[in-house]
Amino acid sequence: MTTFLNDGLARNFLAGSWVEGDKGASIAVEDPGNQDHVADCAQAREESLAQALEAARASFERGDLADMKPAERGRLMIRIAQEIRNLADEGAKLLCRESGKTLDAARDEFIEAAQYFEYYGGVADKIEGKSIPLGPDYADFTVFEPYGVSAQIVPWNFPVSIAGRSLAPSMAAGNSTIIKSPELDPLALAMLGVALERAEVPTGAVSILNGIGSDLGAKLVASSQVDQIVFTGSVPTGQHILRSAGDNVVPSLMELGGKSAAVAFDDADMDTLMSSLKSGIFYNAGQVCSAMARVLVHRSIYDQAVERAAALANGLSVGHGLENPDHTPVVSSLQLQRVEEITSTARQDGARVAAGGARLDREGYFMAPTILADVDPASRIAQEEVFGPVTCFTPFDTEEEAVAMANGTEFGLVAGVFTRDLARAHRVARKLRAGQVFVNEWFAGGVSTPFGGVGKSGFGREKGLEALYNYVRTKNIAISLKV
Ligand code: NAD
């Protein structure tokens, strides 16, 4: 049986073994719902990183995954998916406590991670090149090759599902992978190693290391032993990582932040808008890169929309994630401070607080579900990512004005259109500057729908078949038939 978590200490999954990491250093993990100490996490540093890199390279050179028959690699991934499903109940309790999210949401993360392995396991033997006609004297074709060692840095808001989202296509393509878990909630992601171990992933093909971003994370992405970088997180960290990627000329995939807008026209179905708002900004306490952070509403239904949104926010049940309430804490004391600080600037910038606006007076790091109305689109709250349960309402009069406002930030992750007019939905969806546009349902889509940003929301796509091609490079083989 695994030694993943013993005596309150979670280990690193390093080249098939559970290890404590360098010099006994550890990270304390706190429950944001009640400030309890959940467990400690053994911290990996330079020495463990060197071992993981060496093991990943050796596994790649041996062809452990890359030379495995593709269908067999697919079956290995399906076994991983099953093991993740087997761990979902146990893992959800851990994830719920360390991240603050509801037990149901935590369980959903494990299921989603399993779905990535099922999806990409199914395509492992379908990564097909093409033949290129050069006339009778040549045979020319392309093959897709794995990069080698993929370094993956994961954020705390969805540690398990995001790790699955990047690890599964990386494995399907035949890469070795090293994952750095987020320091605020590393436990459930470390547990993913249990699924890998039980499914008998080749030694070294995947390691999961727990460490501090500015230490382990920075060293991992700066290593000359890394062939590809996948980063999901904030813009400043992404910029930092891109500098390292530039130094080593390493391809990278950047999944960064957002300030996504829903545009609700005069014919929008108000109930649909409200149910989308509920998940769009209050799921996971708004700590979602693709959250509905702005709501632009046609003036004719604006007052009604603000009133309904405020009633919705005020009516949410609040509690510890284990109780599966509507509304849960943000991840840490620092995050709460940040959310409160930026929300207070909104007031100074003329926004009207229709609901919430400050932290809740209770144990844990709870921000009140917050609806800000009459928000100036140029103000800080309308331009910066809050990453909390706070959304901004602004009225508009014309379609052109709505599109300009929606496109008026430096981000472009997702956007939404709420209307019964299909022609308008198509027209506006095409004009919105975003990697994904939801029509009449925020968060529509799933593991098979490509996802990624425009502008400072990043580049490259995750999810769907599209994502697979971030994890391979094309080789062309041109054969002369004249000899
Ligand atoms: P963050 O950038 O602070 O940290 C993300 C990860 O990077 C963590 O694992 C951290 O340890 C690591 N890190 C920090 N400094 C590093 C460095 N110098 N080198 C290498 N790694 C380093 O972000 P966060 O606060 O964990 O996550 C929230 C952000 O992530 C938000 O901006 C959110 O929008 C974004 N996000 C984007 C997506 C997406 O798919 N586009 C998904 C989830 C979250």
mmCIF file of all heavy atoms in Angstrom, residues 153-158 162 165 180-183 211-219 221 231-238 240-241 254-258 288-290 335 385 387 413 451-452 457, ligand 1:
data_model
loop_
_atom_site.group_PDB
_atom_site.id
_atom_site.type_symbol
_atom_site.label_atom_id
_atom_site.label_comp_id
_atom_site.label_asym_id
_atom_site.label_seq_id
_atom_site.Cartn_x
_atom_site.Cartn_y
_atom_site.Cartn_z
ATOM 1 N N ILE A 153 3.119 23.295 -14.384
ATOM 2 C CA ILE A 153 2.919 24.055 -13.143
ATOM 3 C C ILE A 153 1.412 24.275 -12.975
ATOM 4 O O ILE A 153 0.755 24.816 -13.861
ATOM 5 C CB ILE A 153 3.617 25.427 -13.220
ATOM 6 C CG1 ILE A 153 5.080 25.280 -13.661
ATOM 7 C CG2 ILE A 153 3.468 26.179 -11.917
ATOM 8 C CD1 ILE A 153 6.062 25.004 -12.590
ATOM 9 N N VAL A 154 0.906 23.858 -11.831
ATOM 10 C CA VAL A 154 -0.546 23.787 -11.616
ATOM 11 C C VAL A 154 -0.976 24.813 -10.553
ATOM 12 O O VAL A 154 -0.301 24.961 -9.537
ATOM 13 C CB VAL A 154 -0.896 22.338 -11.164
ATOM 14 C CG1 VAL A 154 -2.371 22.207 -10.808
ATOM 15 C CG2 VAL A 154 -0.526 21.337 -12.252
ATOM 16 N N PRO A 155 -2.114 25.506 -10.761
ATOM 17 C CA PRO A 155 -2.599 26.467 -9.755
ATOM 18 C C PRO A 155 -3.500 25.802 -8.710
ATOM 19 O O PRO A 155 -3.895 24.658 -8.880
ATOM 20 C CB PRO A 155 -3.411 27.451 -10.605
ATOM 21 C CG PRO A 155 -4.008 26.586 -11.668
ATOM 22 C CD PRO A 155 -3.013 25.471 -11.934
ATOM 23 N N TRP A 156 -3.863 26.567 -7.685
ATOM 24 C CA TRP A 156 -4.593 25.984 -6.554
ATOM 25 C C TRP A 156 -6.103 25.931 -6.759
ATOM 26 O O TRP A 156 -6.797 25.304 -5.966
ATOM 27 C CB TRP A 156 -4.293 26.760 -5.262
ATOM 28 C CG TRP A 156 -4.392 28.261 -5.405
ATOM 29 C CD1 TRP A 156 -3.349 29.127 -5.581
ATOM 30 C CD2 TRP A 156 -5.580 29.063 -5.409
ATOM 31 N NE1 TRP A 156 -3.812 30.416 -5.697
ATOM 32 C CE2 TRP A 156 -5.182 30.413 -5.587
ATOM 33 C CE3 TRP A 156 -6.943 28.790 -5.271
ATOM 34 C CZ2 TRP A 156 -6.095 31.467 -5.650
ATOM 35 C CZ3 TRP A 156 -7.855 29.842 -5.332
ATOM 36 C CH2 TRP A 156 -7.416 31.157 -5.512
ATOM 37 N N ASN A 157 -6.647 26.600 -7.775
ATOM 38 C CA ASN A 157 -8.115 26.668 -7.809
ATOM 39 C C ASN A 157 -8.764 25.362 -8.274
ATOM 40 O O ASN A 157 -9.860 25.037 -7.827
ATOM 41 C CB ASN A 157 -8.600 27.880 -8.610
ATOM 42 C CG ASN A 157 -8.143 27.872 -10.032
ATOM 43 O OD1 ASN A 157 -7.148 27.238 -10.374
ATOM 44 N ND2 ASN A 157 -8.856 28.569 -10.890
ATOM 45 N N PHE A 158 -8.090 24.636 -9.174
ATOM 46 C CA PHE A 158 -8.574 23.298 -9.575
ATOM 47 C C PHE A 158 -7.364 22.372 -9.711
ATOM 48 O O PHE A 158 -7.037 21.935 -10.820
ATOM 49 C CB PHE A 158 -9.336 23.366 -10.910
ATOM 50 C CG PHE A 158 -10.622 24.142 -10.827
ATOM 51 C CD1 PHE A 158 -10.688 25.453 -11.253
ATOM 52 C CD2 PHE A 158 -11.759 23.557 -10.286
ATOM 53 C CE1 PHE A 158 -11.866 26.186 -11.150
ATOM 54 C CE2 PHE A 158 -12.944 24.275 -10.183
ATOM 55 C CZ PHE A 158 -13.002 25.592 -10.610
ATOM 56 N N ILE A 162 -7.030 20.325 -13.280
ATOM 57 C CA ILE A 162 -6.081 20.975 -14.204
ATOM 58 C C ILE A 162 -4.861 20.078 -14.421
ATOM 59 O O ILE A 162 -4.349 19.965 -15.544
ATOM 60 C CB ILE A 162 -5.699 22.386 -13.713
ATOM 61 C CG1 ILE A 162 -6.908 23.307 -13.927
ATOM 62 C CG2 ILE A 162 -4.470 22.929 -14.444
ATOM 63 C CD1 ILE A 162 -6.728 24.733 -13.503
ATOM 64 N N ARG A 165 -5.933 17.632 -16.896
ATOM 65 C CA ARG A 165 -6.107 18.284 -18.195
ATOM 66 C C ARG A 165 -4.799 18.343 -18.981
ATOM 67 O O ARG A 165 -4.796 18.202 -20.205
ATOM 68 C CB ARG A 165 -6.648 19.695 -17.929
ATOM 69 C CG ARG A 165 -6.949 20.536 -19.109
ATOM 70 C CD ARG A 165 -7.597 21.839 -18.672
ATOM 71 N NE ARG A 165 -6.627 22.897 -18.434
ATOM 72 C CZ ARG A 165 -6.952 24.158 -18.125
ATOM 73 N NH1 ARG A 165 -8.203 24.500 -18.007
ATOM 74 N NH2 ARG A 165 -6.019 25.067 -17.944
ATOM 75 N N LYS A 180 4.471 20.261 -10.891
ATOM 76 C CA LYS A 180 4.657 20.938 -9.596
ATOM 77 C C LYS A 180 3.278 21.323 -9.061
ATOM 78 O O LYS A 180 2.528 22.050 -9.689
ATOM 79 C CB LYS A 180 5.519 22.198 -9.710
ATOM 80 C CG LYS A 180 5.905 22.687 -8.305
ATOM 81 C CD LYS A 180 6.207 24.145 -8.192
ATOM 82 C CE LYS A 180 5.048 25.061 -8.021
ATOM 83 N NZ LYS A 180 4.316 24.960 -6.729
ATOM 84 N N SER A 181 2.977 20.822 -7.866
ATOM 85 C CA SER A 181 1.658 21.082 -7.279
ATOM 86 C C SER A 181 1.630 22.481 -6.664
ATOM 87 O O SER A 181 2.666 23.049 -6.348
ATOM 88 C CB SER A 181 1.339 20.021 -6.225
ATOM 89 O OG SER A 181 2.261 20.131 -5.165
ATOM 90 N N PRO A 182 0.430 23.058 -6.475
ATOM 91 C CA PRO A 182 0.328 24.380 -5.864
ATOM 92 C C PRO A 182 0.560 24.300 -4.349
ATOM 93 O O PRO A 182 0.072 23.366 -3.706
ATOM 94 C CB PRO A 182 -1.106 24.799 -6.169
ATOM 95 C CG PRO A 182 -1.846 23.530 -6.385
ATOM 96 C CD PRO A 182 -0.873 22.512 -6.887
ATOM 97 N N GLU A 183 1.265 25.253 -3.779
ATOM 98 C CA GLU A 183 1.633 25.150 -2.371
ATOM 99 C C GLU A 183 0.456 25.308 -1.410
ATOM 100 O O GLU A 183 0.506 24.851 -0.285
ATOM 101 C CB GLU A 183 2.760 26.127 -2.005
ATOM 102 C CG GLU A 183 2.608 27.556 -2.480
ATOM 103 C CD GLU A 183 3.197 27.785 -3.873
ATOM 104 O OE1 GLU A 183 2.624 27.227 -4.834
ATOM 105 O OE2 GLU A 183 4.185 28.522 -4.004
ATOM 106 N N GLY A 211 6.201 21.869 -3.948
ATOM 107 C CA GLY A 211 7.230 22.858 -3.630
ATOM 108 C C GLY A 211 6.708 24.260 -3.815
ATOM 109 O O GLY A 211 5.577 24.480 -4.248
ATOM 110 N N ILE A 212 7.559 25.201 -3.479
ATOM 111 C CA ILE A 212 7.200 26.616 -3.547
ATOM 112 C C ILE A 212 7.439 27.110 -4.978
ATOM 113 O O ILE A 212 8.445 26.762 -5.603
ATOM 114 C CB ILE A 212 8.072 27.419 -2.547
ATOM 115 C CG1 ILE A 212 7.947 26.828 -1.131
ATOM 116 C CG2 ILE A 212 7.741 28.904 -2.567
ATOM 117 C CD1 ILE A 212 6.570 26.912 -0.517
ATOM 118 N N GLY A 213 6.524 27.947 -5.471
ATOM 119 C CA GLY A 213 6.625 28.420 -6.851
ATOM 120 C C GLY A 213 7.934 29.108 -7.164
ATOM 121 O O GLY A 213 8.597 28.785 -8.162
ATOM 122 N N SER A 214 8.329 30.050 -6.303
ATOM 123 C CA SER A 214 9.529 30.839 -6.604
ATOM 124 C C SER A 214 10.808 30.018 -6.441
ATOM 125 O O SER A 214 11.882 30.445 -6.866
ATOM 126 C CB SER A 214 9.581 32.064 -5.684
ATOM 127 O OG SER A 214 9.499 31.625 -4.343
ATOM 128 N N ASP A 215 10.692 28.838 -5.847
ATOM 129 C CA ASP A 215 11.864 27.981 -5.651
ATOM 130 C C ASP A 215 11.792 26.805 -6.635
ATOM 131 O O ASP A 215 12.350 26.852 -7.736
ATOM 132 C CB ASP A 215 11.879 27.511 -4.181
ATOM 133 C CG ASP A 215 12.968 26.504 -3.906
ATOM 134 O OD1 ASP A 215 14.086 26.700 -4.401
ATOM 135 O OD2 ASP A 215 12.708 25.498 -3.196
ATOM 136 N N LEU A 216 11.028 25.791 -6.267
ATOM 137 C CA LEU A 216 10.940 24.585 -7.114
ATOM 138 C C LEU A 216 10.377 24.906 -8.502
ATOM 139 O O LEU A 216 10.906 24.466 -9.528
ATOM 140 C CB LEU A 216 10.057 23.535 -6.426
ATOM 141 C CG LEU A 216 9.909 22.237 -7.212
ATOM 142 C CD1 LEU A 216 11.176 21.406 -7.149
ATOM 143 C CD2 LEU A 216 8.719 21.418 -6.700
ATOM 144 N N GLY A 217 9.288 25.713 -8.523
ATOM 145 C CA GLY A 217 8.647 26.021 -9.806
ATOM 146 C C GLY A 217 9.613 26.742 -10.739
ATOM 147 O O GLY A 217 9.769 26.373 -11.907
ATOM 148 N N ALA A 218 10.274 27.766 -10.197
ATOM 149 C CA ALA A 218 11.191 28.564 -11.026
ATOM 150 C C ALA A 218 12.351 27.701 -11.523
ATOM 151 O O ALA A 218 12.781 27.814 -12.674
ATOM 152 C CB ALA A 218 11.694 29.754 -10.214
ATOM 153 N N LYS A 219 12.844 26.809 -10.654
ATOM 154 C CA LYS A 219 13.982 25.951 -11.055
ATOM 155 C C LYS A 219 13.552 24.937 -12.107
ATOM 156 O O LYS A 219 14.288 24.639 -13.042
ATOM 157 C CB LYS A 219 14.548 25.229 -9.833
ATOM 158 C CG LYS A 219 15.282 26.169 -8.874
ATOM 159 C CD LYS A 219 16.117 25.407 -7.878
ATOM 160 C CE LYS A 219 16.967 26.360 -7.050
ATOM 161 N NZ LYS A 219 16.289 26.855 -5.855
ATOM 162 N N VAL A 221 11.132 25.229 -14.412
ATOM 163 C CA VAL A 221 10.925 25.812 -15.751
ATOM 164 C C VAL A 221 12.226 26.367 -16.346
ATOM 165 O O VAL A 221 12.314 26.550 -17.556
ATOM 166 C CB VAL A 221 9.827 26.900 -15.758
ATOM 167 C CG1 VAL A 221 8.483 26.317 -15.389
ATOM 168 C CG2 VAL A 221 10.177 28.071 -14.851
ATOM 169 N N PHE A 231 1.942 25.957 -18.348
ATOM 170 C CA PHE A 231 1.693 26.761 -17.150
ATOM 171 C C PHE A 231 0.241 27.189 -17.095
ATOM 172 O O PHE A 231 -0.298 27.748 -18.054
ATOM 173 C CB PHE A 231 2.595 27.998 -17.129
ATOM 174 C CG PHE A 231 2.254 28.909 -15.974
ATOM 175 C CD1 PHE A 231 2.486 28.506 -14.668
ATOM 176 C CD2 PHE A 231 1.663 30.145 -16.182
ATOM 177 C CE1 PHE A 231 2.142 29.315 -13.584
ATOM 178 C CE2 PHE A 231 1.315 30.972 -15.112
ATOM 179 C CZ PHE A 231 1.558 30.543 -13.810
ATOM 180 N N THR A 232 -0.391 26.959 -15.961
ATOM 181 C CA THR A 232 -1.726 27.494 -15.701
ATOM 182 C C THR A 232 -1.623 28.309 -14.424
ATOM 183 O O THR A 232 -1.251 27.784 -13.369
ATOM 184 C CB THR A 232 -2.753 26.356 -15.529
ATOM 185 O OG1 THR A 232 -2.648 25.486 -16.656
ATOM 186 C CG2 THR A 232 -4.164 26.906 -15.480
ATOM 187 N N GLY A 233 -1.924 29.603 -14.520
ATOM 188 C CA GLY A 233 -1.797 30.456 -13.349
ATOM 189 C C GLY A 233 -1.923 31.913 -13.730
ATOM 190 O O GLY A 233 -2.527 32.250 -14.755
ATOM 191 N N SER A 234 -1.329 32.773 -12.919
ATOM 192 C CA SER A 234 -1.530 34.210 -13.098
ATOM 193 C C SER A 234 -0.624 34.784 -14.201
ATOM 194 O O SER A 234 0.404 34.186 -14.565
ATOM 195 C CB SER A 234 -1.250 34.926 -11.788
ATOM 196 O OG SER A 234 0.104 34.755 -11.452
ATOM 197 N N VAL A 235 -0.985 35.955 -14.666
ATOM 198 C CA VAL A 235 -0.214 36.606 -15.738
ATOM 199 C C VAL A 235 1.234 36.905 -15.296
ATOM 200 O O VAL A 235 2.173 36.563 -16.022
ATOM 201 C CB VAL A 235 -0.918 37.891 -16.232
ATOM 202 C CG1 VAL A 235 -0.064 38.628 -17.256
ATOM 203 C CG2 VAL A 235 -2.283 37.547 -16.828
ATOM 204 N N PRO A 236 1.456 37.510 -14.112
ATOM 205 C CA PRO A 236 2.850 37.815 -13.744
ATOM 206 C C PRO A 236 3.731 36.566 -13.680
ATOM 207 O O PRO A 236 4.873 36.583 -14.144
ATOM 208 C CB PRO A 236 2.730 38.467 -12.354
ATOM 209 C CG PRO A 236 1.322 38.958 -12.278
ATOM 210 C CD PRO A 236 0.506 38.033 -13.119
ATOM 211 N N THR A 237 3.189 35.469 -13.136
ATOM 212 C CA THR A 237 4.008 34.243 -13.080
ATOM 213 C C THR A 237 4.245 33.718 -14.496
ATOM 214 O O THR A 237 5.346 33.277 -14.833
ATOM 215 C CB THR A 237 3.326 33.161 -12.207
ATOM 216 O OG1 THR A 237 2.974 33.742 -10.960
ATOM 217 C CG2 THR A 237 4.233 31.988 -11.971
ATOM 218 N N GLY A 238 3.212 33.797 -15.331
ATOM 219 C CA GLY A 238 3.359 33.358 -16.718
ATOM 220 C C GLY A 238 4.450 34.147 -17.434
ATOM 221 O O GLY A 238 5.271 33.584 -18.175
ATOM 222 N N HIS A 240 7.014 35.584 -16.079
ATOM 223 C CA HIS A 240 8.284 35.145 -15.511
ATOM 224 C C HIS A 240 8.736 33.833 -16.176
ATOM 225 O O HIS A 240 9.885 33.681 -16.590
ATOM 226 C CB HIS A 240 8.060 34.937 -14.013
ATOM 227 C CG HIS A 240 9.297 34.772 -13.230
ATOM 228 N ND1 HIS A 240 10.003 35.831 -12.715
ATOM 229 C CD2 HIS A 240 9.979 33.655 -12.890
ATOM 230 C CE1 HIS A 240 11.059 35.375 -12.079
ATOM 231 N NE2 HIS A 240 11.065 34.064 -12.169
ATOM 232 N N ILE A 241 7.782 32.908 -16.298
ATOM 233 C CA ILE A 241 8.106 31.595 -16.875
ATOM 234 C C ILE A 241 8.478 31.728 -18.348
ATOM 235 O O ILE A 241 9.394 31.057 -18.844
ATOM 236 C CB ILE A 241 6.916 30.627 -16.663
ATOM 237 C CG1 ILE A 241 6.821 30.306 -15.169
ATOM 238 C CG2 ILE A 241 7.055 29.363 -17.501
ATOM 239 C CD1 ILE A 241 5.628 29.473 -14.772
ATOM 240 N N MET A 254 0.433 28.652 -22.292
ATOM 241 C CA MET A 254 0.121 29.583 -21.206
ATOM 242 C C MET A 254 -1.388 29.692 -21.031
ATOM 243 O O MET A 254 -2.088 30.187 -21.919
ATOM 244 C CB MET A 254 0.684 30.976 -21.537
ATOM 245 C CG MET A 254 2.184 31.068 -21.488
ATOM 246 S SD MET A 254 2.792 31.180 -19.786
ATOM 247 C CE MET A 254 4.205 30.082 -19.888
ATOM 248 N N GLU A 255 -1.875 29.223 -19.906
ATOM 249 C CA GLU A 255 -3.297 29.344 -19.566
ATOM 250 C C GLU A 255 -3.372 30.317 -18.395
ATOM 251 O O GLU A 255 -3.124 29.940 -17.249
ATOM 252 C CB GLU A 255 -3.876 27.979 -19.169
ATOM 253 C CG GLU A 255 -3.929 26.970 -20.298
ATOM 254 C CD GLU A 255 -4.981 27.294 -21.349
ATOM 255 O OE1 GLU A 255 -5.795 28.215 -21.145
ATOM 256 O OE2 GLU A 255 -4.979 26.626 -22.391
ATOM 257 N N LEU A 256 -3.710 31.561 -18.679
ATOM 258 C CA LEU A 256 -3.577 32.614 -17.659
ATOM 259 C C LEU A 256 -4.952 33.114 -17.197
ATOM 260 O O LEU A 256 -5.935 32.404 -17.275
ATOM 261 C CB LEU A 256 -2.694 33.725 -18.209
ATOM 262 C CG LEU A 256 -1.346 33.231 -18.788
ATOM 263 C CD1 LEU A 256 -0.534 34.378 -19.367
ATOM 264 C CD2 LEU A 256 -0.528 32.477 -17.749
ATOM 265 N N GLY A 257 -5.001 34.319 -16.711
ATOM 266 C CA GLY A 257 -6.214 34.814 -16.056
ATOM 267 C C GLY A 257 -7.265 35.331 -17.021
ATOM 268 O O GLY A 257 -7.155 35.198 -18.246
ATOM 269 N N GLY A 258 -8.298 35.941 -16.458
ATOM 270 C CA GLY A 258 -9.374 36.469 -17.287
ATOM 271 C C GLY A 258 -10.170 37.547 -16.579
ATOM 272 O O GLY A 258 -10.000 37.791 -15.376
ATOM 273 N N VAL A 288 -12.224 31.104 -10.316
ATOM 274 C CA VAL A 288 -12.272 30.363 -11.577
ATOM 275 C C VAL A 288 -11.731 31.313 -12.645
ATOM 276 O O VAL A 288 -12.179 32.463 -12.735
ATOM 277 C CB VAL A 288 -13.727 29.948 -11.929
ATOM 278 C CG1 VAL A 288 -13.778 29.151 -13.201
ATOM 279 C CG2 VAL A 288 -14.374 29.186 -10.781
ATOM 280 N N CYS A 289 -10.766 30.840 -13.436
ATOM 281 C CA CYS A 289 -10.164 31.733 -14.438
ATOM 282 C C CYS A 289 -11.222 32.246 -15.415
ATOM 283 O O CYS A 289 -11.148 33.370 -15.885
ATOM 284 C CB CYS A 289 -9.054 31.018 -15.177
ATOM 285 S SG CYS A 289 -9.591 29.444 -15.854
ATOM 286 N N SER A 290 -12.220 31.379 -15.707
ATOM 287 C CA SER A 290 -13.251 31.746 -16.676
ATOM 288 C C SER A 290 -14.530 32.213 -15.987
ATOM 289 O O SER A 290 -15.628 32.035 -16.521
ATOM 290 C CB SER A 290 -13.530 30.551 -17.592
ATOM 291 O OG SER A 290 -13.730 29.383 -16.808
ATOM 292 N N GLN A 335 -5.661 35.789 0.068
ATOM 293 C CA GLN A 335 -6.608 35.931 -1.047
ATOM 294 C C GLN A 335 -7.809 36.768 -0.601
ATOM 295 O O GLN A 335 -8.299 37.610 -1.349
ATOM 296 C CB GLN A 335 -7.042 34.526 -1.516
ATOM 297 C CG GLN A 335 -7.894 34.519 -2.772
ATOM 298 C CD GLN A 335 -7.139 34.978 -4.018
ATOM 299 O OE1 GLN A 335 -5.919 35.132 -3.997
ATOM 300 N NE2 GLN A 335 -7.854 35.228 -5.088
ATOM 301 N N GLU A 385 -8.341 41.189 -12.650
ATOM 302 C CA GLU A 385 -8.937 39.949 -12.175
ATOM 303 C C GLU A 385 -9.052 39.992 -10.650
ATOM 304 O O GLU A 385 -8.088 40.324 -9.963
ATOM 305 C CB GLU A 385 -8.039 38.785 -12.597
ATOM 306 C CG GLU A 385 -8.653 37.430 -12.343
ATOM 307 C CD GLU A 385 -7.750 36.287 -12.813
ATOM 308 O OE1 GLU A 385 -6.524 36.368 -12.636
ATOM 309 O OE2 GLU A 385 -8.286 35.302 -13.349
ATOM 310 N N PHE A 387 -10.603 37.281 -8.787
ATOM 311 C CA PHE A 387 -10.465 35.890 -8.351
ATOM 312 C C PHE A 387 -11.158 35.680 -7.006
ATOM 313 O O PHE A 387 -10.583 35.171 -6.041
ATOM 314 C CB PHE A 387 -8.994 35.486 -8.286
ATOM 315 C CG PHE A 387 -8.754 34.147 -8.932
ATOM 316 C CD1 PHE A 387 -9.157 33.924 -10.224
ATOM 317 C CD2 PHE A 387 -8.142 33.115 -8.247
ATOM 318 C CE1 PHE A 387 -8.962 32.697 -10.837
ATOM 319 C CE2 PHE A 387 -7.942 31.876 -8.840
ATOM 320 C CZ PHE A 387 -8.355 31.670 -10.136
ATOM 321 N N LEU A 413 -10.337 35.423 -22.184
ATOM 322 C CA LEU A 413 -10.401 33.967 -21.961
ATOM 323 C C LEU A 413 -11.727 33.414 -22.487
ATOM 324 O O LEU A 413 -11.747 32.674 -23.458
ATOM 325 C CB LEU A 413 -10.197 33.668 -20.472
ATOM 326 C CG LEU A 413 -9.887 32.211 -20.123
ATOM 327 C CD1 LEU A 413 -8.736 31.667 -20.938
ATOM 328 C CD2 LEU A 413 -9.590 32.054 -18.638
ATOM 329 N N PHE A 451 -10.074 25.033 -25.109
ATOM 330 C CA PHE A 451 -10.147 26.112 -24.124
ATOM 331 C C PHE A 451 -8.791 26.802 -24.060
ATOM 332 O O PHE A 451 -7.759 26.150 -24.016
ATOM 333 C CB PHE A 451 -10.490 25.494 -22.761
ATOM 334 C CG PHE A 451 -10.520 26.479 -21.628
ATOM 335 C CD1 PHE A 451 -11.629 27.286 -21.437
ATOM 336 C CD2 PHE A 451 -9.437 26.605 -20.762
ATOM 337 C CE1 PHE A 451 -11.664 28.206 -20.397
ATOM 338 C CE2 PHE A 451 -9.469 27.510 -19.714
ATOM 339 C CZ PHE A 451 -10.577 28.319 -19.535
ATOM 340 N N GLY A 452 -8.819 28.139 -24.045
ATOM 341 C CA GLY A 452 -7.560 28.877 -23.924
ATOM 342 C C GLY A 452 -7.802 30.333 -24.225
ATOM 343 O O GLY A 452 -8.920 30.741 -24.535
ATOM 344 N N SER A 457 -4.697 36.542 -21.576
ATOM 345 C CA SER A 457 -5.213 35.281 -21.042
ATOM 346 C C SER A 457 -4.365 34.100 -21.503
ATOM 347 O O SER A 457 -4.589 32.970 -21.054
ATOM 348 C CB SER A 457 -6.674 35.069 -21.444
ATOM 349 O OG SER A 457 -7.497 36.000 -20.770
HETATM 350 P P1 NAD B 1 0.099 31.788 -9.510
HETATM 351 O O1 NAD B 1 0.629 32.302 -10.788
HETATM 352 O O2 NAD B 1 0.398 32.541 -8.268
HETATM 353 O O3 NAD B 1 0.612 30.320 -9.240
HETATM 354 C C1 NAD B 1 0.385 29.266 -10.156
HETATM 355 C C2 NAD B 1 1.446 28.228 -9.955
HETATM 356 O O4 NAD B 1 2.699 28.807 -10.320
HETATM 357 C C3 NAD B 1 1.602 27.724 -8.525
HETATM 358 O O5 NAD B 1 1.851 26.331 -8.555
HETATM 359 C C4 NAD B 1 2.843 28.455 -8.050
HETATM 360 O O6 NAD B 1 3.542 27.757 -7.062
HETATM 361 C C5 NAD B 1 3.658 28.523 -9.325
HETATM 362 N N1 NAD B 1 4.669 29.574 -9.368
HETATM 363 C C6 NAD B 1 4.685 30.768 -8.717
HETATM 364 N N2 NAD B 1 5.803 31.461 -9.035
HETATM 365 C C7 NAD B 1 6.487 30.699 -9.915
HETATM 366 C C8 NAD B 1 7.692 30.893 -10.633
HETATM 367 N N3 NAD B 1 8.428 31.988 -10.494
HETATM 368 N N4 NAD B 1 8.085 29.930 -11.471
HETATM 369 C C9 NAD B 1 7.351 28.806 -11.639
HETATM 370 N N5 NAD B 1 6.207 28.564 -10.981
HETATM 371 C C10 NAD B 1 5.773 29.502 -10.133
HETATM 372 O O7 NAD B 1 -1.444 31.614 -9.728
HETATM 373 P P2 NAD B 1 -2.500 31.095 -8.670
HETATM 374 O O8 NAD B 1 -2.761 32.193 -7.714
HETATM 375 O O9 NAD B 1 -2.094 29.747 -8.138
HETATM 376 O O10 NAD B 1 -3.756 30.826 -9.597
HETATM 377 C C11 NAD B 1 -4.649 31.799 -9.913
HETATM 378 C C12 NAD B 1 -4.393 32.313 -11.317
HETATM 379 O O11 NAD B 1 -4.428 31.227 -12.237
HETATM 380 C C13 NAD B 1 -5.464 33.257 -11.770
HETATM 381 O O12 NAD B 1 -4.888 34.329 -12.446
HETATM 382 C C14 NAD B 1 -6.296 32.402 -12.716
HETATM 383 O O13 NAD B 1 -7.028 33.134 -13.656
HETATM 384 C C15 NAD B 1 -5.272 31.538 -13.338
HETATM 385 N N6 NAD B 1 -5.866 30.305 -13.877
HETATM 386 C C16 NAD B 1 -5.947 30.159 -15.233
HETATM 387 C C17 NAD B 1 -6.546 29.014 -15.769
HETATM 388 C C18 NAD B 1 -6.657 28.808 -17.252
HETATM 389 O O14 NAD B 1 -6.885 27.681 -17.676
HETATM 390 N N7 NAD B 1 -6.525 29.834 -18.074
HETATM 391 C C19 NAD B 1 -7.045 28.038 -14.917
HETATM 392 C C20 NAD B 1 -6.940 28.225 -13.556
HETATM 393 C C21 NAD B 1 -6.331 29.367 -13.044
#
